[in-house]
């Protein structure tokens, strides 16, 4: 019985560890744990400690490599997507960007990761 509970609790979370203390909390996971602000990217020394929220407002997707995080945000009640690039070492945030500017910055910074 104890083992079953442990498996259920660890299996329910699908947080993305983006590296260097950054995490992605999906909208489903946010609702599961009672975090009503929606999907976020946050920086923390520990998962589920949301003291330093980097991006909020319905982050739809986030991917990372060794140096950068790319994020796609579609704020509630808005129809235009916003793009962000986060430097995982300096903390610098490029954005909000439109898709064209986002792709230009990715090229300038040598970022090869994509949302697919």
């Amino acid at each position: 019985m104890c083992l079953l509970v442990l498996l259920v609790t660890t299996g329910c979370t699908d947080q993305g560890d983006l590296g260097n203390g950054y995490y992605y909390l999906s909208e489903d996971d946010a609702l599961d744990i009672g975090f009503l602000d929606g999907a976020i990217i946050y920086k923390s020394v520990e998962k589920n400690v949301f003291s330093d929220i980097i991006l909020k407002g319905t982050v739809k997707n986030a991917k990372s490599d060794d140096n950068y995080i790319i994020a796609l945000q579609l704020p509630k009640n808005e129809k235009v997507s916003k793009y962000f690039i986060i430097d995982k070492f300096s903390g610098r945030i490029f954005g909000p960007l439109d898709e064209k500017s986002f792709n230009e910055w990715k090229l300038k910074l040598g970022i090869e990761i994509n949302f697919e």
Side-chain angles (χ1 to χ4, degrees), residues 51-108:
S51 58
D52 190 8
I53 297 174
I54 306 300
L55 284 180
K56 60 182 176 179
T58 315
V59 178
K60 291 294 184 186
N61 202 345
K63 302 288 182 186
S64 67
D65 64 12
D66 290 338
N67 299 308
Y68 296 99
I69 298 166
I70 60 172
L72 172 63
Q73 179 191 55
L74 184 57
K76 293 179 182 179
N77 302 321
E78 291 189 30
K79 295 180 181 181
V80 178
S81 296
K82 297 177 183 179
Y83 296 83
F84 295 85
I85 298 171
I86 302 167
D87 183 320
K88 293 195 310 190
F89 294 96
S90 72
R92 183 175 176 189
I93 299 173
F94 300 85
L97 304 166
D98 60 27
E99 187 174 8
K100 182 180 182 224
S101 299
F102 171 72
N103 287 321
E104 289 170 356
W105 272 107
K106 276 181 57 183
L107 187 62
K108 284 180 193 176

Side-chain angles (χ1 to χ4, degrees), residues 11-65:
C12 288
T13 59
D14 187 30
Q15 288 189 347
D17 184 346
L18 301 171
N20 206 34
Y22 287 91
Y23 298 92
Y24 171 60
L25 180 68
S26 72
E27 195 161 3
D28 288 340
D29 288 339
L31 290 173
D32 285 348
I33 64 170
F35 188 80
L36 302 178
D37 287 345
I40 60 171
I41 293 176
Y42 64 101
K43 185 167 176 129
S44 180
V45 293
E46 187 178 338
K47 283 185 179 182
N48 296 331
V49 177
F50 311 118
S51 58
D52 190 8
I53 297 174
I54 306 300
L55 284 180
K56 60 182 176 179
T58 315
V59 178
K60 291 294 184 186
N61 202 345
K63 302 288 182 186
S64 67
D65 64 12

